Amino acid sequence: MEIIIRKDYGQMSISAAEIIAGLVKDKPDCVIGLATGSTPIATYRHLIHLHKEQGLDFSNVKTFNLDEYLGIGIDLGRPYETDQSYARFMHEELFKHINIKKENIHIPDGLAKEPEKFCAWYEEEIKKAGGIDLQLLGIGGDGHLAFNEPGSSLFSRTRVQALAKQTLDDNFESFYSKANVKREDMPHYAITMGVGTILESKHALMIASGAKKAGIIAEALEGCVTSKVTASALQLHPGRVTVMLDEGASSKLTWSIN
Ligand code: GLP
């Protein structure tokens, strides 16, 4: 595991975007796993900048998003502007600004009629694409990867997962168009890639920013591997793991930095 510390959120995001851009240049038909939440927004902005200013080409890139709330999604029956799905988040924050092909984008379908079948299909699509070359990850306040809440098996696959109260509280802050919803109306379930799915990526790139993430980052990187903090499973990742932090998020690490 390599841990890289940058001064602030902006520098951390540029460095993360450069790792992703490097892969896209080396392997134009690479498969990238994408994350949502507030942390990756500036990483996506820098990728957009590299696309617009330097011609970074996404035309052959395939993407697979980590997760989606169950029960919401871009639905033609409802106004797009009031949609809170991660599908809309990704469209607004990244996809509509770059030259990625629609058919190369994969996001769990929060409106799937048979979610279990959908999850099995999603796993198959990842396999068919040749696996994920680089998986971008954030970390939840309770240490979750994607929506793998405390207690999730470290061997878990893409599935439906109930959301923890802390996650609902944390994510309400960044819930898209939240003016339209009350906290109690947030979806209580999500479709998420499993920890096992994530551990099969060739390179995992976790990003975290700010002192409020410092405690959980220290637990995940320096604590025991435990399903209580599913991000700790990155310690078992057999391939390459990069953790990109700013000074705030790294401030409680002890032995893993000098
Ligand atoms: C959500 C996502 C996670 C993400 C987390 C962190 O729960 N499902 O994939 O890591 O939010 O969000 P933030 O970056 O806003 O702290």
Side-chain angles (χ1 to χ4, degrees), residues 85-102:
S85 65
Y86 281 163
R88 175 165 170 247
F89 172 98
M90 289 307 304
H91 183 68
E92 291 295 323
E93 303 296 340
L94 181 65
F95 296 145
K96 78 175 188 189
H97 307 285
I98 60 173
N99 65 332
I100 191 162
K101 291 187 186 117
K102 217 177 153 200

Side-chain angles (χ1 to χ4, degrees), residues 199-202 234 236-241:
L199 293 184
E200 280 170 11
S201 59
K202 295 170 190 101
L234 289 176
L236 302 175
H237 191 293
R240 188 174 164 202
V241 179

Side-chain angles (χ1 to χ4, degrees), residues 66 135 137 145-146 148 193-201 234 237:
L66 284 169
Q135 177 64 60
L137 298 160
L145 282 184
N148 290 286
M193 274 188 209
V195 181
T197 321
I198 292 167
L199 293 184
E200 280 170 11
S201 59
L234 289 176
H237 191 293

